[in-house]
Amino acid sequence: MTKANFPSALLGTAISTLIFSTSAFAETQDVREIQAKALEDNLAFEITEGLTTEIGPRQGGTEAETRARQWAVNKLTDLGFGKVRIEQFMMPTWVRGEETAEIIAPFPQKLAITALGNSGSTGANGLEAEVVFFPTVAALAAVPDGSLNGKIAFVSHQMRRSQDGSSYGAFGAVRFFGPNIAAQKGASAMVIRSVGTDYRRNPHTGNTNFSDRVAPIPAAALSIPDAENLRRMIERSEEPVKMKLVLTPQNIGQQESGNVIAEVAGTDPSLSMVLIACHLDSWDLGTGAIDDGAGCGIITAAAKLIMESEIKPKRTIRLLWAGAEEVGVWGGKDYAVVHKDTPHALAMESDFGADRVWRVEFNLPESAKETQDKIISSLGPLGIGHNPSIVAGGGADVRPIIGAQNLAIIDLQQDGTRYFDLHHTPDDTLDKIDPKQLRQNVAAWTTVLSIIANSEIDFTLPPKE
Ligand code: ZN
Ligand code: ZN
């Protein structure tokens, strides 16, 4: 179905109101049609399958990520997108080495462990030290500087499952900041209970960050069963529990990474573009299916449906497959620098797995109220609700450009109930993706894009106070 293009300036108010309601009806029909098409569309799965099969793990700054960029360029070109290109940048790169942990006394046994990104090295011979247990990061932060000299700090607080993933913010702190605090206290190393919700013997990796004022110490995550076992050992032993830790990661200096960009050209060059993002890189342990191959699949499948629909979008839709997100959001930061003068209307990102979208959140100006209401009502049939008290914040890769330009945002929140069972583990593989839920994501994205990309309203937010 195509919409009639009336020269609206020639129409009187009464007629224009009449036309508006007719065209609103037509638009609703269009949205329904494209939504139905998206629910049958397998491209998101095919992209995720291709990327995880033909490339697999693709950590930022590595040769595998370079191959992934070329794969992405070929794929996006084959799909018919315009202006497909790589924007290269350099970034400091850390790579995993050997990683083992064992209890030497009093209950000798091996533990399943993995290094955190930016971890220091123990050297090939490893280190042996007493493990000192803290229930929380706050308990670790409370001890005096120097009090952990020669010890391995162990924090074991437990992440809870939540649909909105909010517990990652609360419990992720142990990984983000814990090792830096332990280093300040003089610890030789730090081990954490993995930031995850599964009971498999799979440790969860992820980046940690050290300030310039401390030398990075070896830092690693135990699988959840192993962390609980270690805690029991400490509780029932009268003598110190001693661990041998071997972690030999390396910093290999500045390496090349890059963003892959593609576009669906809009018909009205006077309108600013819609930016949609995912990240191309993944952690090295799994094949990066849910994080974030699926995200790239979802946004690309939705953009392709818009590109091929009869109604050509008025606004350009730009796809950003960002590089090196996991290891420090290098691609998102580079994009914000390179494109600081490019006018954007709005930004969106898919980076929370492949399970269904259950809620939509907005940060739009008052003038977009009607558009927002239309999106809410169009998403209803897909089982997606709206909580007006939550303001959209955007994904990691679009946040730098959002910050630089004070951009409007729409977040299609995915169900995160099982996301942290798999997140940053060897279990992040294609078989975990439910194709039906993935298609629901594509339908939600196609719905929003079809409305936004055809809207002429000004999405500029009022300046921040
Ligand atoms: Zn991610
Ligand atoms: Zn991740």
Side-chain angles (χ1 to χ4, degrees):
M1 184 174 298
T2 40
K3 286 184 299 175
N5 273 324
F6 290 95
S8 54
L10 301 177
L11 298 165
T13 317
I15 304 172
S16 127
T17 310
L18 178 71
I19 296 300
F20 171 77
S21 45
T22 315
S23 106
F25 173 74
E27 278 173 17
T28 307
Q29 281 292 108
D30 292 336
V31 168
R32 276 196 207 125
E33 278 177 26
I34 205 162
Q35 214 170 60
K37 226 173 172 186
L39 286 170
E40 305 275 296
D41 191 275
N42 257 336
L43 181 60
F45 191 85
E46 284 162 24
I47 288 171
T48 315
E49 183 179 44
L51 191 55
T52 53
T53 306
E54 295 168 34
I55 306 295
R58 45 197 185 278
Q59 194 183 316
T62 66
E63 174 275 331
E65 199 202 27
T66 305
R67 278 187 283 123
R69 277 194 296 286
Q70 200 48 56
W71 187 94
V73 165
N74 295 344
K75 176 59 73 183
L76 291 161
T77 307
D78 286 352
L79 290 170
F81 289 98
K83 296 190 176 171
V84 180
R85 64 203 189 264
I86 295 171
E87 292 179 350
Q88 281 171 358
F89 53 84
M90 301 298 285
M91 48 158 289
T93 302
W94 172 98
V95 290
R96 193 178 301 286
E98 200 184 326
E99 39 195 30
T100 60
E102 62 184 297
I103 299 303
I104 331 170
F107 309 121
Q109 57 186 291
K110 289 182 177 168
L111 304 175
I113 201 162
T114 195
L116 300 178
N118 293 326
S119 165
S121 171
T122 60
N125 296 330
L127 68 84
E128 292 182 13
E130 178 188 343
V131 180
V132 183
F133 167 70
F134 298 94
T136 61
V137 181
L140 170 68
V143 301
D145 287 359
S147 62
L148 295 179
N149 287 348
K151 308 265 170 62
I152 297 173
F154 167 44
V155 174
S156 177
H157 71 180
Q158 189 170 353
M159 183 180 178
R160 304 289 175 181
R161 207 175 276 288
S162 62
Q163 190 175 15
D164 65 1
S166 55
S167 56
Y168 187 52
F171 293 102
V174 69
R175 194 190 87 216
F176 311 143
F177 317 117
N180 186 64
I181 298 168
Q184 280 168 8
K185 306 296 180 186
S188 301
M190 178 163 186
V191 295
I192 64 168
R193 175 190 170 112
S194 282
V195 180
T197 49
D198 60 301
Y199 268 95
R200 290 176 53 79
R201 219 171 171 189
N202 275 340
H204 297 233
T205 192
N207 245 20
T208 191
N209 291 297
F210 292 97
S211 80
D212 297 339
R213 279 164 291 168
V214 299
I217 57 171
L222 292 161
S223 81
I224 289 164
D226 287 276
E228 293 196 351
N229 201 10
L230 176 57
R231 191 171 169 168
R232 282 192 299 274
M233 291 179 206
I234 291 166
E235 279 165 2
R236 67 178 64 185
S237 173
E238 286 177 3
E239 55 181 286
V241 171
K242 281 196 165 166
M243 178 186 282
K244 178 172 183 188
L245 191 60
V246 180
L247 300 172
T248 61
Q250 286 179 60
N251 291 308
I252 56 168
Q254 293 284 323
Q255 302 293 325
E256 195 177 285
S257 180
N259 290 323
V260 179
I261 290 173
E263 290 177 8
V264 178
T267 56
D268 185 347
S270 73
L271 294 171
S272 52
M273 66 171 70
V274 178
L275 178 66
I276 59 174
C278 62
H279 65 84
L280 174 58
D281 68 305
S282 77
W283 274 108
D284 54 337
L285 302 178
T287 59
I290 65 153
D291 189 11
D292 183 28
C296 291
I298 291 163
I299 67 159
T300 306
K304 179 133 193 316
L305 283 162
I306 299 290
M307 180 165 69
E308 289 178 348
S309 76
E310 285 173 49
I311 314 154
K312 296 296 163 218
K314 290 181 182 144
R315 292 177 190 274
T316 291
I317 299 171
R318 179 181 278 177
L319 291 77
L320 166 62
W321 289 29
E325 187 271 348
E326 298 290 6
V327 289
V329 199
W330 297 99
K333 289 174 195 162
D334 186 76
Y335 182 87
V337 173
V338 174
H339 299 280
K340 66 179 193 309
D341 298 324
T342 306
H344 295 83
L346 181 142
M348 299 176 67
E349 179 156 5
S350 178
D351 182 20
F352 200 52
D355 282 349
R356 73 181 186 94
V357 174
W358 68 288
R359 193 166 72 193
V360 59
E361 295 159 10
F362 302 91
N363 186 11
L364 299 180
E366 229 4 80
S367 55
K369 177 81 174 63
E370 217 169 278
T371 310
Q372 179 169 320
D373 288 344
K374 182 171 181 194
I375 291 172
I376 294 167
S377 63
S378 303
L379 290 174
L382 295 171
I384 300 167
H386 171 237
N387 182 342
S389 66
I390 298 174
V391 178
D397 299 287
V398 291
R399 237 170 267 143
I401 190 75
I402 287 169
Q405 297 190 345
N406 191 26
L407 287 185
I409 312 162
I410 299 176
D411 284 338
L412 287 169
Q413 295 292 5
Q414 293 162 291
D415 188 330
T417 309
R418 66 182 190 128
Y419 185 65
F420 291 101
D421 290 352
L422 309 169
H423 183 247
H424 299 179
T425 73
D427 268 351
D428 179 2
T429 51
L430 183 70
D431 49 287
K432 308 306 181 306
I433 292 180
D434 170 1
K436 197 172 167 211
Q437 293 195 58
L438 193 66
R439 288 194 294 268
Q440 186 261 15
N441 273 268
V442 176
W445 273 78
T446 309
T447 302
V448 174
L449 285 181
S450 71
I451 296 169
I452 293 293
N454 285 302
S455 163
E456 287 173 358
I457 67 145
D458 183 358
F459 286 100
T460 310
L461 288 170
K464 278 194 178 143
E465 279 140 43

